[in-house]
Amino acid sequence: EFVILVSGGNRGAWAAGERIRKAIESNVFRVEGLQGLVNVRLTVSVGVHVMAPGDTAAEILDRADRAMYEAKKRSRNRVVSSAA
């Protein structure tokens, strides 16, 4: 897991998450396995939260984390925004 801070409100944050998701999904990684080199595709689940006045760092991370787990619950490889 990692955190990226972006400006642009919910639309900008969601768009950044979607660009990252698509970039990861579109790559094929060659990995040495038991059968030799194999192609591996990865996907990513992204949780987005837009900071509200008075939010603490812990609250921001918690809301983004909950959104990420909601993305995983919805079959992964998607961007989900928190309800704040």
Side-chain angles (χ1 to χ4, degrees):
E1 296 181 19
F2 59 91
V3 174
I4 299 173
L5 300 174
V6 298
S7 61
N10 191 55
R11 180 175 285 174
W14 192 90
E18 187 63 14
R19 281 192 307 274
I20 292 166
R21 187 197 67 74
K22 285 180 178 179
I24 291 171
E25 177 186 53
S26 69
N27 282 289
V28 177
F29 299 89
R30 304 265 308 153
V31 178
E32 182 70 40
L34 295 175
Q35 306 295 322
L37 284 175
V38 294
N39 292 332
V40 176
R41 289 193 175 273
L42 300 177
T43 61
V44 62
S45 298
V46 178
V48 172
H49 173 68
V50 176
M51 187 175 92
D55 277 354
T56 66
E59 290 168 331
I60 294 165
L61 291 174
D62 180 62
R63 290 180 183 133
D65 197 50
R66 282 189 271 145
M68 179 199 59
Y69 280 103
E70 181 62 27
K72 289 176 182 267
K73 185 173 130 182
R74 294 185 193 176
S75 75
R76 302 174 185 254
N77 195 30
R78 65 181 59 234
V79 178
V80 171
S81 294
S82 71

